[in-house]
Amino acid sequence: MKKILNDPQNYVDEMLDGLVAAHPEIYRAHAHRVIVRAGEKKPGKVGIVTGGGSGHLPVFTGYVGNGLLDGCAIGNVFASPSAEQMAETIRAVDAGAGVLCLYGNYGGDVMNFDMAAEMVDFEDSIRTRSHAVADDVVSASLDEAEKRRGVAGMIYAFKIAGAAAERMADLDEVTRLAAKASDNVVSMGMAMTPCIIPQLGKPTSTIADDEMEMGMGIHGEPGVWKGPIKSADDLLDEMFDTLQKDRPLTAGDRVSVLVNSLGATPLEELYILYRRLAARLAELGVKIVMPLVGRYATSMEMTGATLSILKLDDELEVLLRAPSNCAFWKV
Amino acid sequence: MKKILNDPQNYVDEMLDGLVAAHPEIYRAHAHRVIVRAGEKKPGKVGIVTGGGSGHLPVFTGYVGNGLLDGCAIGNVFASPSAEQMAETIRAVDAGAGVLCLYGNYGGDVMNFDMAAEMVDFEDSIRTRSHAVADDVVSASLDEAEKRRGVAGMIYAFKIAGAAAERMADLDEVTRLAAKASDNVVSMGMAMTPCIIPQLGKPTSTIADDEMEMGMGIHGEPGVWKGPIKSADDLLDEMFDTLQKDRPLTAGDRVSVLVNSLGATPLEELYILYRRLAARLAELGVKIVMPLVGRYATSMEMTGATLSILKLDDELEVLLRAPSNCAFWKV
């Protein structure tokens, strides 16, 4: 296991200790595996919380910060946090205007956030809304889009909802904008190597030395094909064409795009993908606004990349460009 | 070869095309493999150029930007750019106040920058100064410190010299501050897997499945030992103790620290290392200022991490905290 760690049982907690120690001006440990913004709450601001398994930094915890999220409940690597942790996160960030729970569409997270919402409603009279981002187009067909998993595109929902909350929009409005961002983003990924869950000490799936997997999920969920490694341009084209079929763009559209490394894939190779993406969008007459290239949602040391495309209108673009400040995404 | 690329011969040029396409407000392609800042030159500002092999993003090209570098000459993966490219970079950024060449201490880069300086002196009457950063403590002993290689610590020299130039310091003063930052930073690294040079299609060195290499260089240069993988705390302790022996810190000192991934090693594991580092420095009574944790100087998809420690005084701290803006380091 080529990982830098101490006891695998302590992987998550030691990571969180280090994160808070390195950025005390941004993150604060509120309770066991509950991270909230450092500093005072802004009375009357809608709170936004997320939660999910560890192993995806900067997702989820990393996006706590000004103009982004208010708190995060943290699970083991690739495992949902508990409903109690989520309820505690909601309580910690509530500033009197209610709390939006905004997370990826995975069964465990949905169930636990639903329970957490009931708990804080019943025990604390805190109003909540919920939205599960479901942007991974290969995880279910378009007519079952509500079953799709949430992947890298969720960071656009964090950013846009976060900016709306910072401008003191109310809970229904923040929820509407989170859902609008989420409904307008589609993503697809491919992987060349799996990653290793510390407590298992080995990968959860295998990919042969000369093979890759198109459409593989961020926890190693099966994709659409396994086969020989294709060229960067062919990979980009296949991902782009799949997204284009799902949610077609036409001349005059404006988008933000995210070319994201799953971990090991270097920046050099993301820019080779971006080069092709820019050419494809230019050919279509689509304008790119604020492109993101880097490691925004990872699976530890997985090799591979994902492509996300967010279709913008004026309202979404203003919020996307609004200031934000966390350790991993400063606008 | 688990890499995302088209023709390996085009790896560097396609990467640069993508970089400039994604961030046209920051980078501009001035000539073949010469990147300079977008926008107008500031008359009378000292220019700062760097150069070196590709495969280390954000080093070198990525650090072109406001408050940082003015231009970069780009070589093939792990290969020095030519003296002609360097001379062209110097000419492109000169704004009448002379140019500092600031780069890593590798034979090819030193020789080519020396030739480039002669060329622009003779042909264009441009005044230059030169400084080669040599922060890798395991690459030569302390009494031969001038033979050491430059690694991740060089980004502190970029930042501090860049801030001084932005404040309109003259060429001698910018050079003095670059050298001061460089003399005050020490680094050490370890690797668990090598990386693959696209044109070779295979790693330049090997590390057994259950082994790591302490002190390995960023191009796979041999380190101080190969052996079984140690715990994160033991790895941090060995790197920290080596740096501490080389350049001892004492109670009351102020430092910035950089815990850097060589590529594949995820943020989670960098924070596990940072946790131990913060404890070691607290124990010594040393204060940490503006810690950096992330991928600041990589070797594509190499697994491993480096530790750099910069000892600060008031002058260096002010410049370190000054604003900067490139695609990878916003202060």
Side-chain angles (χ1 to χ4, degrees), chain A residues 56-79:
Chain A
H56 302 297
L57 279 181
V59 162
F60 295 87
T61 325
Y63 293 106
V64 170
N66 285 329
L68 291 160
L69 307 172
D70 294 277
C72 180
I74 296 122
N76 267 324
V77 172
F78 295 180

Side-chain angles (χ1 to χ4, degrees), chain A residues 135-138 151-154 185-189 243 306-309:
Chain A
D135 55 320
D136 184 356
V137 302
V138 298
V151 289
M154 75 173 74
V185 68
V186 283
S187 300
M188 178 163 175
L243 297 186
T306 65
L307 169 62
S308 301
I309 300 182

Side-chain angles (χ1 to χ4, degrees), chain A residues 288-304:
Chain A
I288 304 177
V289 171
M290 227 178 92
L292 304 172
V293 180
R295 291 167 172 102
Y296 288 82
T298 66
S299 293
M300 293 179 293
E301 70 282 359
M302 189 180 281
T303 307

Side-chain angles (χ1 to χ4, degrees), chain B residues 64-85:
Chain B
V64 170
N66 284 330
L68 290 159
L69 306 172
D70 294 278
C72 180
I74 296 122
N76 267 324
V77 173
F78 296 179
S80 182
S82 68
E84 287 71 20
Q85 280 172 275

Side-chain angles (χ1 to χ4, degrees), chain B residues 255-287:
Chain B
V255 296
S256 180
V257 294
L258 165 57
V259 178
N260 173 59
S261 170
L262 288 168
T265 290
L267 283 169
E268 283 80 1
E269 295 165 31
L270 300 181
Y271 284 111
I272 292 174
L273 290 172
Y274 184 82
R275 172 183 170 272
R276 179 69 174 185
L277 174 64
R280 292 294 309 268
L281 287 168
E283 198 179 274
L284 268 179
V286 172
K287 189 184 166 203

Side-chain angles (χ1 to χ4, degrees), chain A residues 160-177:
Chain A
I160 283 161
E166 218 68 61
R167 293 170 176 215
M168 305 303 279
D170 69 17
L171 181 58
D172 287 333
E173 177 70 354
V174 172
T175 305
R176 179 185 73 81
L177 287 159

Side-chain angles (χ1 to χ4, degrees), chain B:
Chain B
M1 172 164 54
K2 297 226 156 176
K3 292 179 82 74
I4 299 177
L5 42 67
N6 297 302
D7 183 342
Q9 303 293 336
N10 299 334
Y11 191 82
V12 172
D13 295 309
E14 292 184 354
M15 172 272 285
L16 290 176
D17 286 351
L19 182 77
V20 172
H23 314 288
E25 73 289 3
I26 298 175
Y27 308 107
R28 181 166 63 81
H30 165 75
H32 182 63
R33 297 197 181 179
V34 173
I35 298 286
V36 299
R37 286 193 201 179
E40 294 300 305
K41 290 192 276 193
K42 201 171 172 182
K45 189 186 95 66
V46 168
I48 308 176
V49 300
T50 193
S54 292
H56 302 297
L57 279 181
V59 163
F60 295 86
T61 326
Y63 293 106
V64 170
N66 284 330
L68 290 159
L69 306 172
D70 294 278
C72 180
I74 296 122
N76 267 324
V77 173
F78 296 179
S80 182
S82 68
E84 287 71 20
Q85 280 172 275
M86 292 171 179
E88 192 48 39
T89 313
I90 295 168
R91 285 182 201 111
V93 311
D94 180 53
V99 175
L100 170 63
C101 304
L102 183 58
Y103 50 93
N105 193 28
Y106 294 90
D109 297 316
V110 174
M111 190 182 71
N112 287 346
F113 266 117
D114 284 351
M115 283 172 55
E118 280 183 37
M119 289 160 68
V120 299
D121 176 30
F122 184 76
E123 297 164 19
D124 312 275
S125 301
I126 299 174
R127 245 177 3 127
T128 60
R129 293 282 181 279
S130 217
H131 183 84
V133 180
D135 55 319
D136 184 356
V137 302
V138 299
S139 57
S141 63
L142 185 54
D143 52 352
E144 294 191 308
E146 75 287 353
K147 293 190 184 168
R148 289 177 172 175
R149 296 187 294 260
V151 289
M154 75 173 73
I155 73 160
Y156 283 119
F158 295 166
K159 178 73 183 69
I160 283 162
E166 218 68 59
R167 292 170 177 215
M168 303 303 278
D170 69 17
L171 182 58
D172 287 334
E173 178 69 353
V174 172
T175 305
R176 179 185 73 78
L177 286 160
K180 183 175 172 182
S182 166
D183 290 344
N184 277 285
V185 68
V186 283
S187 300
M188 179 162 175
M190 47 74 51
M192 292 185 173
T193 66
C195 61
I196 293 173
I197 296 179
Q199 289 174 267
L200 294 179
K202 57 185 173 64
T204 49
S205 60
T206 54
I207 308 177
D209 274 354
D210 55 352
E211 285 195 335
M212 53 162 285
E213 185 160 348
M214 177 58 74
M216 192 169 109
I218 57 171
H219 310 98
E221 297 94 338
V224 287
W225 58 260
K226 260 189 191 183
I229 294 171
K230 293 190 181 180
S231 75
D233 286 357
D234 285 351
L235 293 175
L236 190 285
D237 282 345
E238 182 166 345
M239 293 194 284
F240 183 78
D241 291 338
T242 305
L243 298 185
Q244 183 63 5
K245 203 177 290 176
D246 199 88
R247 212 74 61 88
L249 298 168
T250 53
D253 283 345
R254 257 174 308 157
V255 296
S256 180
V257 294
L258 165 57
V259 178
N260 173 59
S261 170
L262 288 168
T265 290
L267 283 169
E268 283 80 1
E269 295 165 31
L270 300 181
Y271 284 111
I272 292 174
L273 290 172
Y274 184 82
R275 172 183 170 272
R276 179 69 174 185
L277 174 64
R280 292 294 309 268
L281 287 168
E283 198 179 274
L284 268 179
V286 172
K287 189 184 166 203
I288 304 177
V289 171
M290 226 178 91
L292 303 172
V293 181
R295 291 167 173 102
Y296 287 83
T298 65
S299 293
M300 292 180 294
E301 70 282 358
M302 189 180 281
T303 308
T306 65
L307 170 63
S308 301
I309 300 181
L310 169 70
K311 192 172 163 180
L312 292 168
D313 61 9
D314 290 347
E315 179 176 61
L316 293 180
E317 184 174 340
V318 166
L319 295 168
L320 180 63
R321 289 182 184 276
S324 67
N325 187 34
C326 71
F328 310 98
W329 195 9
K330 294 188 207 309
V331 177

